[in-house]
């Protein structure tokens, strides 16, 4: 895998056409931007995750359909043969902008999803303000923050010393035994997913790899996760829980692809697992391995597919940005695509009652 990652980093050119990326909504609701069967871009649901690319100020989906804000409904959608155009750009923080505005509305839609609407919408009953965060770039896209780079981290050396297993490591257990006051999954649809996923490498400690939708956790790859708790929300005032959801690969939604897990041998033979920690301060797309500053180390969690884990509970407040790190203990490796579709995988923050 180390060779594969190195080859990937070397083979991705700085400018590739098209340069594809994914999007996710930040706010309430939040989640991956998916496309339904007629090209409407929605938040959540069981539809495939949308893949997009930009040419000048025009946006297209993975099927090369023109994306625009439909004039009569102000809905964001990508439709074959659609006439018209919307002036799309990317802001410095990686948000998708339409006509120089980062603001969108998420409005209720069928099948427990939300439609994405332009902020000029007049009837906003039931709608919430969101931004659309881009990530998972296949190259350095036009408008992508200049501080990010397109390479993937490498993985070939000793474990980062900052994440050596503590003498007494606290090990999380499957959420069946967790505190009943805290959700043990995201089935209630009240949760926060990472708004930034930043891979880092101890072999390139000063290199910023930028935002990604994929987590790389290995001997030398520590991945950072940032969560933005919503403003004006009483839900996230009190106690929150950090969950790690790890389904069987066969249960994953096709939009998440497959994950690589080094297996039980490292966990049993080398007393391995994943080490989770809360960071001091916030992170951004320029954060590198040398910037990591741990506030609270939660210790090792021994993970097995088919389980959910409550990593920790902690005080939380509305309009708060919190960040966590996931690193390897005992040569365990896990590379996965964060996805909140049915059979979700990855790190989530949920409010406790």
């Amino acid at each position: 895998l180390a060779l594969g990652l190195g080859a990937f980093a070397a083979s991705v050119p700085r400018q590739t056409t098209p340069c594809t990326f994914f999007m996710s909504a930040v706010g309430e609701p939040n989640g991956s931007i998916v496309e339904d069967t007629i090209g409407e871009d929605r938040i959540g649901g069981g539809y495939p995750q949308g893949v997009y690319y930009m040419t000048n100020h025009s946006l297209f989906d993975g099927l090369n359909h023109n994306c625009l804000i439909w004039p009569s409904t102000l809905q964001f959608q990508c439709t074959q043969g659609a006439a018209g155009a919307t002036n799309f750009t990317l802001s410095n923080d990686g948000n998708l902008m339409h006509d120089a505005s980062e603001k969108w509305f998420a409005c209720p839609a069928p099948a427990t999803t939300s439609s994405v609407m332009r902020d000029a919408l007049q009837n906003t009953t039931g709608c919430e303000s969101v931004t659309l965060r881009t990530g998972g770039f296949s190259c350095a896209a036009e408008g992508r923050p200049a501080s990010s780079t397109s390479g993937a981290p490498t993985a070939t050396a000793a474990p980062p010393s900052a994440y050596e297993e503590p003498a007494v490591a606290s090990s999380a257990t499957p959420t069946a035994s967790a505190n009943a006051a805290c959700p043990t999954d995201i089935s209630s649809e009240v949760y926060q997913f990472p708004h930034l996923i930043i891979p880092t490498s101890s072999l390139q400690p000063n290199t910023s790899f930028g935002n990604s939708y994929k987590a790389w956790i290995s001997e030398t790859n520590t991945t950072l996760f940032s969560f933005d708790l919503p403003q004006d929300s009483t839900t996230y005032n009190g106690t929150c829980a950090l969950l790690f959801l790890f389904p069987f690969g066969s249960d994953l939604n096709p939009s998440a692809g497959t994950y690589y897990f080094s297996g039980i041998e490292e966990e049993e033979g080398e007393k391995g697992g994943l080490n989770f920690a809360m960071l001091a301060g916030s992170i951004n797309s320029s954060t590198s391995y040398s910037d990591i500053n741990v506030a609270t180390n939660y210790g090792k969690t021994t993970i097995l597919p088919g389980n959910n884990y409550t990593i920790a509970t902690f005080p939380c407040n509305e309009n708060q940005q919190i960040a966590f790190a996931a690193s390897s203990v005992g040569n365990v490796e896990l590379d996965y695509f964060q996805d909140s579709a049915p059979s979700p995988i990855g790190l989530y923050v949920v409010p406790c009652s």
Side-chain angles (χ1 to χ4, degrees), residues 146-205:
S147 58
S148 301
T149 58
S150 61
T154 58
T156 51
S161 58
Y163 291 94
E164 289 179 355
E165 184 180 351
V168 179
S170 60
S171 181
T173 57
T175 55
S177 62
N179 190 330
C182 297
T184 59
D185 56 32
I186 60 173
S187 59
S188 68
E189 298 187 1
V190 180
Y191 65 91
Q192 294 294 313
F193 76 104
H195 299 148
L196 284 175
I197 299 177
I198 308 295
T200 69
S201 172
S202 61
L203 295 182
Q204 300 179 54

Side-chain angles (χ1 to χ4, degrees), residues 22-26 30-32 49 93-95 133-137 144-145 147-153 191-201 207-218 221-228 242-245 256 276 279 282-289 292 321-327 334-340 344-349:
F22 305 99
M23 291 191 289
S24 58
V26 177
N30 68 117
S32 300
Q49 185 165 31
D93 57 5
N95 290 336
R133 181 73 55 82
T134 61
F137 285 87
R144 188 183 180 196
S147 58
S148 301
T149 58
S150 61
Y191 65 91
Q192 294 294 313
F193 76 104
H195 299 148
L196 284 175
I197 299 177
I198 308 295
T200 69
S201 172
T207 298
S208 301
F209 295 102
N211 190 24
S212 172
Y213 275 77
K214 189 168 185 178
W216 307 84
I217 306 168
S218 69
N221 293 132
T222 295
T223 293
L224 313 180
F225 302 81
S226 179
F227 296 83
D228 298 287
L242 180 67
L243 305 182
F244 181 72
L245 310 184
F276 294 95
L279 301 182
S282 60
I283 63 172
N284 56 48
S285 60
S286 300
T287 301
S288 65
Y289 181 82
I292 296 174
Q321 185 184 77
I322 47 178
F324 302 92
S327 57
L334 176 64
D335 309 321
Y336 70 89
F337 186 94
Q338 177 90 19
D339 191 62
S340 55
I345 183 172
L347 274 182
Y348 298 87
V349 170

Side-chain angles (χ1 to χ4, degrees), residues 239-332:
T239 301
C240 291
L242 180 67
L243 305 182
F244 181 72
L245 310 184
F246 192 31
F248 291 110
S250 58
D251 293 336
L252 284 177
N253 187 282
S255 64
T258 59
Y259 58 74
Y260 174 81
F261 178 48
S262 58
I264 302 173
E265 180 178 349
E266 285 80 5
E267 293 195 316
E268 293 185 348
E270 300 186 43
K271 298 181 180 180
L274 300 185
N275 193 98
F276 294 95
M278 178 183 282
L279 301 182
S282 60
I283 63 172
N284 56 48
S285 60
S286 300
T287 301
S288 65
Y289 181 82
S290 62
D291 298 320
I292 296 174
N293 184 11
V294 173
T296 304
N297 192 341
Y298 296 131
K300 181 185 71 176
T301 297
T302 301
I303 62 170
L304 292 174
N307 287 289
N308 298 339
Y309 298 89
T310 297
I311 304 302
T313 58
F314 53 90
C316 59
N317 298 288
E318 62 176 330
N319 197 27
Q320 177 186 11
Q321 185 184 77
I322 47 178
F324 302 92
S327 57
S328 169
V329 178
N331 300 319
V332 167

Side-chain angles (χ1 to χ4, degrees), residues 39-125:
E40 293 182 354
D41 299 274
R42 296 186 179 184
I43 304 169
Y47 298 107
Q49 185 165 31
V51 180
Y52 305 90
Y53 68 93
M54 190 177 293
T55 300
N56 295 322
H57 296 288
S58 297
L59 185 69
F60 302 89
D61 67 7
L63 298 175
N64 300 315
H65 295 166
N66 185 30
C67 301
L68 73 162
I69 296 173
W70 205 255
S72 59
T73 63
L74 300 185
Q75 183 169 356
F76 176 42
Q77 59 189 85
C78 304
T79 306
Q80 185 176 15
T86 300
N87 182 21
F88 290 108
T89 55
L90 298 184
S91 67
N92 287 336
D93 57 5
N95 290 336
L96 180 71
M97 304 176 67
H98 64 86
D99 304 307
S101 173
E102 295 184 42
K103 185 178 178 181
W104 302 81
F105 279 118
C107 300
T112 66
T113 64
S114 297
S115 297
V116 179
M117 316 292 289
R118 183 180 176 179
D119 61 343
L121 185 70
Q122 296 299 311
N123 181 6
T124 59
T125 302

Side-chain angles (χ1 to χ4, degrees), residues 3-17:
L3 292 175
L5 285 172
F8 176 82
S11 64
V12 176
R14 288 286 301 177
Q15 295 292 338
T16 303
T17 303

